[in-house]
Amino acid sequence: MTSAPDPTLPATNTTGWQVPGSPVLEGLEAKWSRLWQQQGTYAFTRPQAREQVFSIDTPPPTVSGSLHVGHVFSYTHTDLVARYQRMRGKHVFYPLGWDDNGLPTERRVQNHYGVRCEPSLPYDPDFTPPAKPDPKRQQPISRRNFVELCHELTGVDEQVFEDLWRQVGLSVDWDLLYTTISPEAQSVAQRAFLRNFARREAYLAQAPTMWDVTYQTAVAQAELEAREYPGFYHAINFHRPGGEDVLIETTRPELLAACCALVAHPDDERYQPLFGSTVTTPVFEVEIPVLAHPDAEPDKGSGIAMCCTFGDLTDVTWWRELNLPTRTIIGRDGRVLREVPDWIVNTEAFDRIAGKTTFSAREGTVEMLRERGELVGEPKPTTRMTNFYERGDKPLEIVSTRQWYITNGGRDPELRAALLARGEELRWTPEHMRHRYANWVSGLNGDWLISRQRFFGVPFPVWYRLDADGEPDYDHPITADEASLPVDPASQPAPGFDESQRGVPGGFIGDPDVMDTWATSSLTPQIVCGWQRDDQLWNLTFPMDLAPQAHDIIRTWLFSRVVRSHLEEGRLPWRRAAISGFVVDPDRKKMSKSKGNVVVPTEILDRFGADAVRWRAAMARPGTDSPFDESQMKVGRRLAMKILNASKFVLDKHAPARPEAISEPDDLAMLAALRAVVARATSAFDEFQYTDALEAAEKFFWTFCDDYLELVKERSYGPDDDRGAASAKAALQLALGVQLRLFAPFMPFVTEEVWSWWQPGSVHRTAWPTVDELPTGGDAALLDDIAAVLMAIRGAKSRAQVKMRSEVDRAVVMGPQESLDRLQAISTDLRAVGRITGELEFVPNSEQISVDVTLAASGS
């Protein structure tokens, strides 16, 4: 870290003071962003010891998406902390990355270039995208060509993101920039997976899987989004041999062919006589058992439900716990299987729905129920909560697929307890957010599904032997050696094989899937801190100090990083999590493109300036949703402009002065109040309560400008050898230096600009102010007394509709004796600021300060 100048002393060479005639905010972002980069202002330098470092695990934004004002607020919150810690003398390790792999990028590439990936096609080294892309008629290309286009487009998107973050003023070290698809990141992800696999924390299993038929990929529990979905209740009769039919109600009659049991609550007296017996399904005529399970809901519908493999997650629970057969009829394409399953008795009925979409199969099944008289009444409209992929627009299906999983406590009570304990060990800002973590971990119902049926992502470093019939041996995967990472099994042969043996009996195939993007971003601490690559950096930065993020991804990004670090390191990846709230519209609705209420960051940055936007961001407290109001940006801009103008006054016509010259009561009082502000702001920042720090600094600043500057203005223009003038100049300059540093984390551009007028180096590399810089002995209560007197005098002039410079013929100040004693000591300054040319009297009473003002005749 560069050495900081003594913050108590202004520059002694007056030629170094270059105060512009008319300071402006325009152009400051471009000017200082460029200079900060050239001068390496925020470069991370490695110290000798870990305690000298403050390291931040910054969220890597998804570059295939678009940034909104909520991102700007959240990332600004992190930057506030980073800047404060840097000024406190820490070597701040503050990397930023781009999350550029995964489904969003693929969809953007498909639409942008008019292509789609077809893995069976060979690589074309001369391929160029269509001149006129047609998203509806996408050209098939090889996987390698497709991945190259993904890299090309993300490169363009990344530059747009970088330009925005530079405009915002993030003090990241851009030399530490990383991407989640880089060879280095892929090596980390594959190495961590191999170690999980070796410890049996990662495993391959054929299991019911939440499946998006549009995106053709598996979906993890953390990516589910429950939405209302319209449908119909269908009352259907199941037949009992020699007994009364059993009525059930279902919203998914198209799964009737997948039904493997009827299930009721064990205490439901209506169905207790049926438990252990069998019934026959309508239409498809399959004999199935009637069973009991405590998850059945007696007060829902008829109280007995059909269990199909699989209609919803409850079906999965029943299938697993009741040891039911798997009778899947919906394929990965979202259509009913084309071949008649062997358990179906009425094969002609199945032929009528084979190959159809679930919607068409539903219509076909209902039609057959009507024909056979097995549909009771007409379907009744209803709305039900249905699981969707958070990015999808069709309900998810549950299909049986082979996928990779990592243990996360969903099925292991001991691991669950350990991960809950990690949540208690972690420090949280705000504190109540730890409950969201605990609720998520406690509610897990399965392990973490990490494989995705996509193309642009980190490949699994795994191959499978093919037997003599060409069938893969999934029970004995071939894994890559760590020294060979990163690897791509789709283009590199398995160890011990050559490329000619790919896909032939006795040869091998590569695992076709890629890791879920969270499986890579769950390792951001390992990626940025040099895990297994740079031991010195690792020991200096890990575990990290801060994990900042929004509250909606506690269940995904925060939890997944805790899981990976716990499994690999046996400890937390960081010491504290700082959670930001959402920015919502004025109606307190979350901003989204579909609602049309998104605020584009570049628009407000260009109109109001980065410092104004950052000020508004800092007013949003940790973890609290904040309604967006454009008028608030004007308040932030006014503050930034006031900093420029007040600084110009302090520096423009005043020679450098030293703190020991400060002697006057009002100067000492102002600095005593500032001393308290420094203590409050420092304490707030230490607790990651940046809003409290800003409020303390800003409240004092407006008092400083509105009252103190006006009070001492005339005295400060006195000759250098005048004691009162020297005191005012020194107090003004000392207070300015302290306040610029208090505001520096919040408004980095305007504070750097002013600092450059009169101080060497960067304000952001200067020490954070301390109370020891400010003199003792002043009485801060005098500032309140001054404010009360000035308010009364200004009010009198305002009511008389005269200018503030109008003279006062007589002023009688009334109030408590201790206040009057303080005010009498500065009567000269009071006369000057109030333009009191006649009598100034002080009359004690027991009430609050008031002033009886008589305006001079010329001011009437």
Side-chain angles (χ1 to χ4, degrees):
M1 184 172 179
T2 58
S3 59
D6 185 342
T8 67
L9 297 176
T12 56
N13 183 355
T14 56
T15 61
W17 290 26
Q18 299 179 356
V19 183
S22 299
V24 295
L25 297 174
E26 285 71 24
L28 294 187
E29 289 98 335
K31 170 186 175 180
W32 287 110
S33 293
R34 182 179 66 256
L35 288 174
W36 289 335
Q37 182 66 16
Q38 291 174 357
Q39 297 167 3
T41 304
Y42 308 122
F44 172 70
T45 57
R46 302 187 185 194
Q48 296 299 312
R50 173 66 183 89
E51 56 267 21
Q52 296 173 274
V53 174
F54 189 87
S55 57
I56 304 173
D57 188 14
T58 318
T62 303
V63 295
S64 56
S66 57
L67 294 173
H68 54 72
V69 69
H71 291 105
V72 172
F73 277 35
S74 181
Y75 281 75
T76 296
H77 296 161
T78 306
D79 190 61
L80 302 177
V81 175
R83 288 180 177 277
Y84 169 73
Q85 291 292 339
R86 192 178 291 112
M87 296 178 75
R88 291 282 281 177
K90 293 285 190 178
H91 292 249
V92 176
F93 182 67
Y94 185 17
L96 182 66
W98 310 130
D99 191 4
D100 44 15
N101 74 79
L103 183 57
T105 297
E106 291 188 23
R107 298 294 286 186
R108 179 155 155 67
V109 167
Q110 289 171 357
N111 294 330
H112 183 81
Y113 293 108
V115 298
R116 61 179 174 83
C117 183
E118 178 49 66
S120 63
L121 293 176
Y123 174 67
D124 180 0
D126 299 320
F127 171 76
T128 56
K132 295 182 179 180
D134 184 353
K136 296 182 178 180
R137 296 183 179 180
Q138 296 172 343
Q139 178 180 338
I141 60 174
S142 74
R143 177 173 182 166
R144 185 174 167 187
N145 287 123
F146 186 79
V147 168
E148 286 178 351
L149 290 181
C150 290
H151 281 292
E152 179 179 304
L153 191 57
T154 53
V156 175
D157 293 338
E158 287 162 7
Q159 188 58 56
V160 173
F161 274 41
E162 181 176 336
D163 292 344
L164 175 66
W165 291 133
R166 287 184 183 276
Q167 186 177 2
V168 171
L170 295 193
S171 61
V172 300
D173 184 347
W174 289 102
D175 291 338
L176 301 176
L177 187 66
Y178 70 93
T179 69
T180 58
I181 199 63
S182 68
E184 187 175 68
Q186 291 197 42
S187 294
V188 169
Q190 290 182 338
R191 178 178 290 108
F193 167 80
L194 290 172
R195 295 188 178 192
N196 291 137
F197 179 72
R199 295 190 298 263
R200 298 186 179 181
E201 297 155 355
Y203 62 92
L204 187 67
Q206 181 86 20
T209 307
M210 301 299 293
W211 186 266
D212 190 287
V213 298
T214 301
Y215 293 111
Q216 287 291 288
T217 187
V219 176
Q221 183 179 352
E223 297 170 308
L224 301 183
E225 184 176 289
R227 304 177 196 164
E228 288 190 345
Y229 190 72
F232 291 86
Y233 268 122
H234 304 78
I236 303 173
N237 272 326
F238 282 65
H239 308 302
R240 287 178 61 203
E244 186 178 345
D245 288 347
V246 179
L247 181 73
I248 68 101
E249 292 185 14
T250 179
T251 58
R252 301 205 63 183
E254 73 275 14
L255 294 180
L256 189 58
C259 185
C260 52
L262 293 187
V263 181
H265 195 279
D267 297 333
D268 194 327
E269 295 180 355
R270 294 172 296 175
Y271 302 109
Q272 284 178 346
L274 299 182
F275 295 147
S277 67
T278 62
V279 294
T280 301
T281 64
V283 178
F284 301 102
E285 303 174 2
V286 179
E287 187 176 357
I288 60 171
V290 181
L291 303 173
H293 194 281
D295 285 353
E297 301 174 84
D299 57 348
K300 184 176 180 180
S302 61
I304 189 167
M306 63 178 188
C307 175
C308 306
T309 49
F310 299 93
D312 56 24
L313 293 176
T314 301
D315 284 344
V316 176
T317 300
W318 290 342
W319 164 79
R320 182 180 294 118
E321 296 182 6
L322 297 175
N323 196 29
L324 297 173
T326 303
R327 291 176 174 171
T328 303
I329 65 165
I330 305 297
R332 292 188 177 193
D333 59 358
R335 293 177 177 271
V336 176
L337 301 178
R338 288 164 176 78
E339 294 187 9
V340 180
D342 56 13
W343 65 83
I344 297 295
V345 175
N346 186 353
T347 58
E348 291 183 2
F350 192 88
D351 284 337
R352 290 176 62 175
I353 63 170
K356 292 187 176 182
T357 65
T358 53
F359 179 81
S360 297
R362 184 178 310 141
E363 291 184 330
T365 303
V366 171
E367 183 180 351
M368 288 187 283
L369 287 166
R370 281 199 182 98
E371 292 172 357
R372 294 167 58 104
E374 294 169 329
L375 180 68
V376 180
E378 285 301 308
K380 300 176 183 177
T382 185
T383 300
R384 59 191 173 97
M385 296 304 293
T386 306
N387 282 322
F388 286 74
Y389 173 41
E390 60 188 0
R391 298 180 183 275
D393 55 10
K394 290 184 179 180
L396 294 173
E397 295 292 347
I398 302 179
V399 300
S400 182
T401 61
R402 183 175 286 102
Q403 305 286 347
W404 283 102
Y405 297 84
I406 287 181
T407 55
N408 67 351
R411 297 183 180 177
D412 182 343
E414 186 176 338
L415 177 58
R416 185 198 304 262
L419 293 172
L420 285 169
R422 293 292 180 209
E424 290 300 313
E425 179 186 348
L426 182 63
R427 285 174 282 180
W428 295 80
T429 301
E431 171 65 25
H432 70 266
M433 285 295 172
R434 74 167 67 249
H435 300 302
R436 295 199 182 192
Y437 172 91
N439 291 340
W440 172 254
V441 179
S442 300
L444 289 170
N445 55 30
D447 284 332
W448 177 17
L449 189 157
I450 63 166
S451 50
R452 294 293 181 271
Q453 291 63 53
R454 306 305 304 170
F455 313 109
F456 188 52
V458 178
F460 286 92
V462 171
W463 298 262
Y464 307 101
R465 291 181 178 85
L466 298 177
D467 63 18
D469 296 324
E471 293 297 321
D473 180 5
Y474 291 114
D475 294 331
H476 303 92
I478 304 170
T479 57
D481 184 86
E482 285 192 19
S484 67
L485 303 179
V487 298
D488 179 12
S491 58
Q492 295 171 249
F497 293 82
D498 59 51
E499 193 60 31
S500 67
Q501 295 173 281
R502 182 184 296 273
V504 299
F508 72 94
I509 58 169
D511 191 299
D513 294 343
V514 296
M515 298 183 194
D516 168 33
T517 185
W518 293 113
T520 304
S521 28
S522 63
L523 296 163
T524 49
Q526 287 77 7
I527 293 171
V528 299
C529 293
W531 178 60
Q532 298 296 307
R533 307 180 316 279
D534 187 332
D535 290 342
Q536 182 196 43
L537 182 63
W538 178 254
N539 293 329
L540 283 173
T541 57
F542 188 92
M544 305 183 83
D545 293 277
L546 184 65
Q549 64 170 75
H551 56 72
D552 60 324
I553 52 175
I554 289 175
R555 74 187 194 279
T556 49
W557 193 44
L558 190 147
F559 175 61
S560 64
R561 286 174 293 166
V562 171
V563 170
R564 302 305 286 276
S565 185
H566 175 81
L567 296 177
E568 184 65 37
E569 302 291 329
R571 54 180 170 170
L572 284 169
W574 359 257
R575 297 181 173 92
R576 179 183 295 270
I579 309 299
S580 294
F582 287 140
V583 176
V584 294
D585 68 13
D587 296 326
R588 304 198 72 87
K589 295 179 181 177
K590 183 180 177 182
M591 290 186 176
S592 68
K593 286 184 178 180
S594 61
K595 295 176 182 177
N597 60 356
V598 170
V599 176
V600 179
T602 52
E603 293 180 1
I604 58 171
L605 288 166
D606 292 341
R607 289 176 60 195
F608 302 106
D611 283 336
V613 176
R614 288 174 63 98
W615 171 85
R616 176 59 188 89
M619 295 302 289
R621 295 183 178 278
T624 303
D625 291 349
S626 181
F628 179 83
D629 183 351
E630 191 175 278
S631 63
Q632 295 168 331
M633 304 296 169
K634 298 177 183 178
V635 179
R637 183 173 177 83
R638 176 172 170 255
L639 174 61
M641 198 67 224
K642 191 68 173 180
I643 290 174
L644 282 182
N645 292 330
S647 301
K648 174 177 168 55
F649 164 75
V650 171
L651 301 175
D652 199 12
K653 297 178 182 179
H654 298 123
R658 292 183 174 274
E660 57 264 28
I662 301 171
S663 58
E664 300 305 300
D666 39 2
D667 300 334
L668 290 167
M670 180 272 293
L671 294 172
L674 181 55
R675 184 184 174 97
V677 169
V678 169
R680 285 198 298 273
T682 303
S683 175
F685 255 127
D686 284 344
E687 294 300 319
F688 297 84
Q689 297 296 334
Y690 44 79
T691 306
D692 291 341
L694 174 58
E695 288 180 344
E698 186 179 0
K699 181 181 179 181
F700 176 85
F701 176 73
W702 287 114
T703 298
F704 174 80
C705 293
D706 294 343
D707 296 338
Y708 178 76
L709 283 184
E710 296 300 321
L711 183 73
V712 302
K713 182 180 292 184
E714 284 198 17
R715 175 158 56 91
S716 71
Y717 286 142
D720 292 344
D721 58 357
D722 179 81
R723 171 177 168 160
S727 177
K729 293 172 186 177
L732 286 166
Q733 292 166 24
L734 178 57
L736 178 62
V738 169
Q739 290 181 90
L740 287 175
R741 286 176 284 146
L742 289 175
F743 279 120
F746 306 99
M747 310 183 91
F749 295 103
V750 69
T751 53
E752 187 77 302
E753 174 68 12
V754 173
W755 194 262
S756 72
W757 297 348
W758 68 311
Q759 294 281 22
S762 169
V763 68
H764 305 298
R765 282 294 193 177
T766 307
W768 179 257
T770 67
V771 294
D772 295 334
E773 298 176 27
L774 297 161
T776 59
D779 189 346
L782 176 55
L783 281 193
D784 293 330
D785 298 334
I786 293 168
V789 170
L790 294 184
M791 182 182 297
I793 294 174
R794 289 165 179 163
K797 293 180 180 181
S798 178
R799 287 190 296 273
Q801 297 183 344
V802 299
K803 296 179 180 179
M804 289 297 118
R805 296 182 62 84
S806 298
E807 294 182 352
V808 173
D809 192 51
R810 184 171 181 266
V812 180
V813 181
M814 295 165 283
Q817 185 63 58
E818 59 270 25
S819 293
L820 300 184
D821 291 342
R822 291 189 290 260
L823 290 168
Q824 281 182 292
I826 63 163
S827 58
T828 301
D829 285 343
L830 286 178
R831 283 183 173 278
V833 68
R835 298 293 187 268
I836 304 172
T837 57
E839 295 180 70
L840 174 58
E841 299 180 42
F842 296 91
V843 179
N845 64 28
S846 59
E847 300 177 3
Q848 292 182 342
I849 291 176
S850 61
V851 185
D852 186 8
V853 178
T854 303
L855 297 173
S858 59
S860 301

